Amino acid sequence: MITACALSHGLFIAMSFRAHAFDSKDVNILRETLHFIVPPPKGEITVAVVYNPAVTGSVQEAQQISKAFSDTSQGVDIVMHAFPVSLDGLNRSTFAAVVSANGAGTPTLKNALSSHHAVCVTGHLDQVESGSCQIYLTSRPTVDIRLNQDATDAADVHFATAFRIMVRTL
């Protein structure tokens, strides 16, 4: 597990890790994070926002996340198009990245990431800790990014050295 932590007056700040609604600020951070993939995606990419229909609120969270993509300005080099998809439909979809809603961090997700060689981002720390998803990302109250290296290796996703330097290994 790798962690990026905020510094304040030379001390690490302890934070609570409740999931917050993935919003347009998180989408912009995701766009910047994608630049550190080797090789980085360019042009238009599809982002699957995966949900688990068996988990209460997962579908609604996926719809809210998909809307957050339309609420952001698009980048010059990466234009992201998000679409909600159930866990069952994930392997039948084409995508370059995944945002995982509550309850979607399952072996089905992990297998789809491996077969698509795709990066997964979530606001649910438990999914990254379990290795179902690779990156925990939150912008509330400050930006916190955590990377599960074993999960990225399993999906054959590689990050530039600069990205790994910006995060702290636990």
PDB file of all heavy atoms in Angstrom, residues 85-113:
ATOM      1  N   VAL A  85     -22.127   1.310 -15.348  1.00  0.00           N
ATOM      2  CA  VAL A  85     -22.264  -0.074 -15.785  1.00  0.00           C
ATOM      3  C   VAL A  85     -22.283  -0.969 -14.548  1.00  0.00           C
ATOM      4  O   VAL A  85     -21.568  -0.729 -13.585  1.00  0.00           O
ATOM      5  CB  VAL A  85     -21.129  -0.483 -16.758  1.00  0.00           C
ATOM      6  CG1 VAL A  85     -19.766  -0.369 -16.109  1.00  0.00           C
ATOM      7  CG2 VAL A  85     -21.349  -1.870 -17.339  1.00  0.00           C
ATOM      8  N   SER A  86     -23.121  -1.992 -14.585  1.00  0.00           N
ATOM      9  CA  SER A  86     -23.182  -2.929 -13.464  1.00  0.00           C
ATOM     10  C   SER A  86     -21.969  -3.854 -13.508  1.00  0.00           C
ATOM     11  O   SER A  86     -21.336  -4.029 -14.557  1.00  0.00           O
ATOM     12  CB  SER A  86     -24.468  -3.756 -13.512  1.00  0.00           C
ATOM     13  OG  SER A  86     -24.401  -4.677 -14.571  1.00  0.00           O
ATOM     14  N   LEU A  87     -21.674  -4.473 -12.384  1.00  0.00           N
ATOM     15  CA  LEU A  87     -20.576  -5.445 -12.339  1.00  0.00           C
ATOM     16  C   LEU A  87     -20.748  -6.516 -13.404  1.00  0.00           C
ATOM     17  O   LEU A  87     -19.776  -6.907 -14.060  1.00  0.00           O
ATOM     18  CB  LEU A  87     -20.516  -6.111 -10.959  1.00  0.00           C
ATOM     19  CG  LEU A  87     -19.750  -5.376  -9.881  1.00  0.00           C
ATOM     20  CD1 LEU A  87     -19.994  -6.018  -8.522  1.00  0.00           C
ATOM     21  CD2 LEU A  87     -18.274  -5.338 -10.194  1.00  0.00           C
ATOM     22  N   ASP A  88     -21.979  -6.977 -13.596  1.00  0.00           N
ATOM     23  CA  ASP A  88     -22.247  -8.033 -14.573  1.00  0.00           C
ATOM     24  C   ASP A  88     -21.962  -7.598 -16.007  1.00  0.00           C
ATOM     25  O   ASP A  88     -21.622  -8.433 -16.845  1.00  0.00           O
ATOM     26  CB  ASP A  88     -23.699  -8.509 -14.475  1.00  0.00           C
ATOM     27  CG  ASP A  88     -23.988  -9.189 -13.150  1.00  0.00           C
ATOM     28  OD1 ASP A  88     -23.031  -9.668 -12.501  1.00  0.00           O
ATOM     29  OD2 ASP A  88     -25.168  -9.238 -12.753  1.00  0.00           O
ATOM     30  N   GLY A  89     -22.102  -6.319 -16.302  1.00  0.00           N
ATOM     31  CA  GLY A  89     -21.879  -5.824 -17.654  1.00  0.00           C
ATOM     32  C   GLY A  89     -20.471  -5.324 -17.909  1.00  0.00           C
ATOM     33  O   GLY A  89     -20.129  -4.963 -19.036  1.00  0.00           O
ATOM     34  N   LEU A  90     -19.646  -5.324 -16.896  1.00  0.00           N
ATOM     35  CA  LEU A  90     -18.310  -4.734 -17.018  1.00  0.00           C
ATOM     36  C   LEU A  90     -17.448  -5.432 -18.057  1.00  0.00           C
ATOM     37  O   LEU A  90     -16.802  -4.775 -18.878  1.00  0.00           O
ATOM     38  CB  LEU A  90     -17.617  -4.735 -15.651  1.00  0.00           C
ATOM     39  CG  LEU A  90     -16.350  -3.910 -15.529  1.00  0.00           C
ATOM     40  CD1 LEU A  90     -16.596  -2.456 -15.893  1.00  0.00           C
ATOM     41  CD2 LEU A  90     -15.787  -4.016 -14.120  1.00  0.00           C
ATOM     42  N   ASN A  91     -17.419  -6.736 -18.066  1.00  0.00           N
ATOM     43  CA  ASN A  91     -16.569  -7.462 -19.022  1.00  0.00           C
ATOM     44  C   ASN A  91     -17.053  -7.338 -20.462  1.00  0.00           C
ATOM     45  O   ASN A  91     -16.302  -7.627 -21.384  1.00  0.00           O
ATOM     46  CB  ASN A  91     -16.430  -8.928 -18.632  1.00  0.00           C
ATOM     47  CG  ASN A  91     -15.306  -9.119 -17.639  1.00  0.00           C
ATOM     48  OD1 ASN A  91     -14.276  -8.447 -17.708  1.00  0.00           O
ATOM     49  ND2 ASN A  91     -15.503 -10.024 -16.695  1.00  0.00           N
ATOM     50  N   ARG A  92     -18.279  -6.902 -20.659  1.00  0.00           N
ATOM     51  CA  ARG A  92     -18.800  -6.705 -22.014  1.00  0.00           C
ATOM     52  C   ARG A  92     -18.616  -5.257 -22.475  1.00  0.00           C
ATOM     53  O   ARG A  92     -19.070  -4.897 -23.550  1.00  0.00           O
ATOM     54  CB  ARG A  92     -20.269  -7.098 -22.071  1.00  0.00           C
ATOM     55  CG  ARG A  92     -20.513  -8.584 -21.841  1.00  0.00           C
ATOM     56  CD  ARG A  92     -21.962  -8.989 -22.018  1.00  0.00           C
ATOM     57  NE  ARG A  92     -22.891  -8.290 -21.133  1.00  0.00           N
ATOM     58  CZ  ARG A  92     -23.191  -8.663 -19.886  1.00  0.00           C
ATOM     59  NH1 ARG A  92     -22.622  -9.723 -19.362  1.00  0.00           N
ATOM     60  NH2 ARG A  92     -24.049  -7.978 -19.167  1.00  0.00           N
ATOM     61  N   SER A  93     -17.942  -4.447 -21.666  1.00  0.00           N
ATOM     62  CA  SER A  93     -17.754  -3.029 -21.962  1.00  0.00           C
ATOM     63  C   SER A  93     -16.312  -2.744 -22.367  1.00  0.00           C
ATOM     64  O   SER A  93     -15.402  -3.495 -22.035  1.00  0.00           O
ATOM     65  CB  SER A  93     -18.087  -2.186 -20.729  1.00  0.00           C
ATOM     66  OG  SER A  93     -19.406  -2.420 -20.304  1.00  0.00           O
ATOM     67  N   THR A  94     -16.138  -1.638 -23.069  1.00  0.00           N
ATOM     68  CA  THR A  94     -14.816  -1.160 -23.432  1.00  0.00           C
ATOM     69  C   THR A  94     -14.519   0.058 -22.579  1.00  0.00           C
ATOM     70  O   THR A  94     -15.334   0.983 -22.517  1.00  0.00           O
ATOM     71  CB  THR A  94     -14.767  -0.780 -24.926  1.00  0.00           C
ATOM     72  OG1 THR A  94     -15.130  -1.928 -25.689  1.00  0.00           O
ATOM     73  CG2 THR A  94     -13.394  -0.299 -25.326  1.00  0.00           C
ATOM     74  N   PHE A  95     -13.368   0.068 -21.922  1.00  0.00           N
ATOM     75  CA  PHE A  95     -13.003   1.184 -21.057  1.00  0.00           C
ATOM     76  C   PHE A  95     -11.496   1.231 -20.856  1.00  0.00           C
ATOM     77  O   PHE A  95     -10.812   0.218 -20.994  1.00  0.00           O
ATOM     78  CB  PHE A  95     -13.711   1.072 -19.698  1.00  0.00           C
ATOM     79  CG  PHE A  95     -13.481  -0.239 -18.998  1.00  0.00           C
ATOM     80  CD1 PHE A  95     -12.377  -0.427 -18.174  1.00  0.00           C
ATOM     81  CD2 PHE A  95     -14.368  -1.293 -19.165  1.00  0.00           C
ATOM     82  CE1 PHE A  95     -12.155  -1.633 -17.541  1.00  0.00           C
ATOM     83  CE2 PHE A  95     -14.162  -2.511 -18.527  1.00  0.00           C
ATOM     84  CZ  PHE A  95     -13.044  -2.681 -17.706  1.00  0.00           C
ATOM     85  N   ALA A  96     -11.002   2.414 -20.534  1.00  0.00           N
ATOM     86  CA  ALA A  96      -9.583   2.610 -20.230  1.00  0.00           C
ATOM     87  C   ALA A  96      -9.364   2.789 -18.737  1.00  0.00           C
ATOM     88  O   ALA A  96      -8.260   2.593 -18.244  1.00  0.00           O
ATOM     89  CB  ALA A  96      -9.046   3.827 -20.979  1.00  0.00           C
ATOM     90  N   ALA A  97     -10.408   3.189 -18.035  1.00  0.00           N
ATOM     91  CA  ALA A  97     -10.321   3.413 -16.591  1.00  0.00           C
ATOM     92  C   ALA A  97     -11.675   3.101 -15.977  1.00  0.00           C
ATOM     93  O   ALA A  97     -12.694   3.063 -16.668  1.00  0.00           O
ATOM     94  CB  ALA A  97      -9.919   4.854 -16.291  1.00  0.00           C
ATOM     95  N   VAL A  98     -11.652   2.891 -14.649  1.00  0.00           N
ATOM     96  CA  VAL A  98     -12.860   2.573 -13.913  1.00  0.00           C
ATOM     97  C   VAL A  98     -12.922   3.446 -12.673  1.00  0.00           C
ATOM     98  O   VAL A  98     -11.902   3.677 -12.026  1.00  0.00           O
ATOM     99  CB  VAL A  98     -12.866   1.083 -13.485  1.00  0.00           C
ATOM    100  CG1 VAL A  98     -14.000   0.786 -12.521  1.00  0.00           C
ATOM    101  CG2 VAL A  98     -12.934   0.169 -14.687  1.00  0.00           C
ATOM    102  N   VAL A  99     -14.123   3.919 -12.352  1.00  0.00           N
ATOM    103  CA  VAL A  99     -14.381   4.502 -11.043  1.00  0.00           C
ATOM    104  C   VAL A  99     -15.360   3.546 -10.384  1.00  0.00           C
ATOM    105  O   VAL A  99     -16.396   3.212 -10.956  1.00  0.00           O
ATOM    106  CB  VAL A  99     -14.974   5.925 -11.125  1.00  0.00           C
ATOM    107  CG1 VAL A  99     -15.283   6.447  -9.719  1.00  0.00           C
ATOM    108  CG2 VAL A  99     -14.016   6.866 -11.839  1.00  0.00           C
ATOM    109  N   SER A 100     -15.009   3.088  -9.183  1.00  0.00           N
ATOM    110  CA  SER A 100     -15.795   2.059  -8.512  1.00  0.00           C
ATOM    111  C   SER A 100     -16.668   2.650  -7.418  1.00  0.00           C
ATOM    112  O   SER A 100     -16.178   3.320  -6.512  1.00  0.00           O
ATOM    113  CB  SER A 100     -14.843   1.006  -7.925  1.00  0.00           C
ATOM    114  OG  SER A 100     -15.567   0.006  -7.266  1.00  0.00           O
ATOM    115  N   ALA A 101     -17.965   2.384  -7.498  1.00  0.00           N
ATOM    116  CA  ALA A 101     -18.922   2.838  -6.494  1.00  0.00           C
ATOM    117  C   ALA A 101     -18.945   1.852  -5.326  1.00  0.00           C
ATOM    118  O   ALA A 101     -18.334   0.783  -5.374  1.00  0.00           O
ATOM    119  CB  ALA A 101     -20.318   2.959  -7.111  1.00  0.00           C
ATOM    120  N   ASN A 102     -19.672   2.209  -4.295  1.00  0.00           N
ATOM    121  CA  ASN A 102     -19.785   1.375  -3.108  1.00  0.00           C
ATOM    122  C   ASN A 102     -20.262  -0.031  -3.470  1.00  0.00           C
ATOM    123  O   ASN A 102     -21.201  -0.197  -4.241  1.00  0.00           O
ATOM    124  CB  ASN A 102     -20.764   2.010  -2.118  1.00  0.00           C
ATOM    125  CG  ASN A 102     -20.821   1.265  -0.809  1.00  0.00           C
ATOM    126  OD1 ASN A 102     -19.820   0.766  -0.321  1.00  0.00           O
ATOM    127  ND2 ASN A 102     -22.006   1.197  -0.226  1.00  0.00           N
ATOM    128  N   GLY A 103     -19.581  -1.026  -2.933  1.00  0.00           N
ATOM    129  CA  GLY A 103     -19.978  -2.409  -3.139  1.00  0.00           C
ATOM    130  C   GLY A 103     -19.472  -3.044  -4.411  1.00  0.00           C
ATOM    131  O   GLY A 103     -19.653  -4.242  -4.625  1.00  0.00           O
ATOM    132  N   ALA A 104     -18.817  -2.288  -5.277  1.00  0.00           N
ATOM    133  CA  ALA A 104     -18.351  -2.833  -6.550  1.00  0.00           C
ATOM    134  C   ALA A 104     -16.967  -3.460  -6.447  1.00  0.00           C
ATOM    135  O   ALA A 104     -16.511  -4.114  -7.391  1.00  0.00           O
ATOM    136  CB  ALA A 104     -18.360  -1.749  -7.630  1.00  0.00           C
ATOM    137  N   GLY A 105     -16.290  -3.279  -5.333  1.00  0.00           N
ATOM    138  CA  GLY A 105     -14.958  -3.838  -5.153  1.00  0.00           C
ATOM    139  C   GLY A 105     -15.007  -5.332  -4.894  1.00  0.00           C
ATOM    140  O   GLY A 105     -14.926  -5.783  -3.763  1.00  0.00           O
ATOM    141  N   THR A 106     -15.134  -6.107  -5.940  1.00  0.00           N
ATOM    142  CA  THR A 106     -15.304  -7.552  -5.851  1.00  0.00           C
ATOM    143  C   THR A 106     -14.272  -8.244  -6.741  1.00  0.00           C
ATOM    144  O   THR A 106     -13.608  -7.584  -7.551  1.00  0.00           O
ATOM    145  CB  THR A 106     -16.717  -7.954  -6.331  1.00  0.00           C
ATOM    146  OG1 THR A 106     -16.806  -7.653  -7.735  1.00  0.00           O
ATOM    147  CG2 THR A 106     -17.809  -7.220  -5.569  1.00  0.00           C
ATOM    148  N   PRO A 107     -14.154  -9.552  -6.636  1.00  0.00           N
ATOM    149  CA  PRO A 107     -13.276 -10.283  -7.562  1.00  0.00           C
ATOM    150  C   PRO A 107     -13.661 -10.065  -9.032  1.00  0.00           C
ATOM    151  O   PRO A 107     -12.792 -10.067  -9.902  1.00  0.00           O
ATOM    152  CB  PRO A 107     -13.462 -11.747  -7.150  1.00  0.00           C
ATOM    153  CG  PRO A 107     -13.790 -11.669  -5.688  1.00  0.00           C
ATOM    154  CD  PRO A 107     -14.656 -10.428  -5.566  1.00  0.00           C
ATOM    155  N   THR A 108     -14.940  -9.857  -9.314  1.00  0.00           N
ATOM    156  CA  THR A 108     -15.369  -9.573 -10.691  1.00  0.00           C
ATOM    157  C   THR A 108     -14.698  -8.308 -11.199  1.00  0.00           C
ATOM    158  O   THR A 108     -14.206  -8.266 -12.334  1.00  0.00           O
ATOM    159  CB  THR A 108     -16.907  -9.429 -10.762  1.00  0.00           C
ATOM    160  OG1 THR A 108     -17.501 -10.642 -10.319  1.00  0.00           O
ATOM    161  CG2 THR A 108     -17.375  -9.093 -12.165  1.00  0.00           C
ATOM    162  N   LEU A 109     -14.656  -7.261 -10.382  1.00  0.00           N
ATOM    163  CA  LEU A 109     -13.991  -6.013 -10.769  1.00  0.00           C
ATOM    164  C   LEU A 109     -12.503  -6.260 -10.972  1.00  0.00           C
ATOM    165  O   LEU A 109     -11.924  -5.844 -11.983  1.00  0.00           O
ATOM    166  CB  LEU A 109     -14.216  -4.932  -9.713  1.00  0.00           C
ATOM    167  CG  LEU A 109     -13.445  -3.629  -9.919  1.00  0.00           C
ATOM    168  CD1 LEU A 109     -13.817  -2.956 -11.243  1.00  0.00           C
ATOM    169  CD2 LEU A 109     -13.684  -2.673  -8.751  1.00  0.00           C
ATOM    170  N   LYS A 110     -11.878  -6.918 -10.030  1.00  0.00           N
ATOM    171  CA  LYS A 110     -10.434  -7.178 -10.115  1.00  0.00           C
ATOM    172  C   LYS A 110     -10.089  -7.942 -11.392  1.00  0.00           C
ATOM    173  O   LYS A 110      -9.116  -7.611 -12.076  1.00  0.00           O
ATOM    174  CB  LYS A 110      -9.979  -7.942  -8.881  1.00  0.00           C
ATOM    175  CG  LYS A 110      -8.486  -8.086  -8.778  1.00  0.00           C
ATOM    176  CD  LYS A 110      -8.096  -8.714  -7.452  1.00  0.00           C
ATOM    177  CE  LYS A 110      -6.593  -8.796  -7.318  1.00  0.00           C
ATOM    178  NZ  LYS A 110      -6.187  -9.308  -6.003  1.00  0.00           N
ATOM    179  N   ASN A 111     -10.890  -8.949 -11.736  1.00  0.00           N
ATOM    180  CA  ASN A 111     -10.653  -9.720 -12.965  1.00  0.00           C
ATOM    181  C   ASN A 111     -10.820  -8.861 -14.216  1.00  0.00           C
ATOM    182  O   ASN A 111     -10.052  -8.987 -15.168  1.00  0.00           O
ATOM    183  CB  ASN A 111     -11.574 -10.937 -13.017  1.00  0.00           C
ATOM    184  CG  ASN A 111     -11.230 -11.960 -11.958  1.00  0.00           C
ATOM    185  OD1 ASN A 111     -10.105 -12.010 -11.451  1.00  0.00           O
ATOM    186  ND2 ASN A 111     -12.199 -12.783 -11.599  1.00  0.00           N
ATOM    187  N   ALA A 112     -11.831  -8.000 -14.216  1.00  0.00           N
ATOM    188  CA  ALA A 112     -12.050  -7.116 -15.373  1.00  0.00           C
ATOM    189  C   ALA A 112     -10.892  -6.141 -15.538  1.00  0.00           C
ATOM    190  O   ALA A 112     -10.467  -5.863 -16.664  1.00  0.00           O
ATOM    191  CB  ALA A 112     -13.368  -6.362 -15.218  1.00  0.00           C
ATOM    192  N   LEU A 113     -10.379  -5.623 -14.440  1.00  0.00           N
ATOM    193  CA  LEU A 113      -9.236  -4.705 -14.510  1.00  0.00           C
ATOM    194  C   LEU A 113      -8.022  -5.411 -15.100  1.00  0.00           C
ATOM    195  O   LEU A 113      -7.301  -4.845 -15.930  1.00  0.00           O
ATOM    196  CB  LEU A 113      -8.902  -4.150 -13.126  1.00  0.00           C
ATOM    197  CG  LEU A 113      -9.968  -3.280 -12.482  1.00  0.00           C
ATOM    198  CD1 LEU A 113      -9.583  -2.935 -11.047  1.00  0.00           C
ATOM    199  CD2 LEU A 113     -10.209  -2.016 -13.296  1.00  0.00           C
TER     200      LEU A 113
END
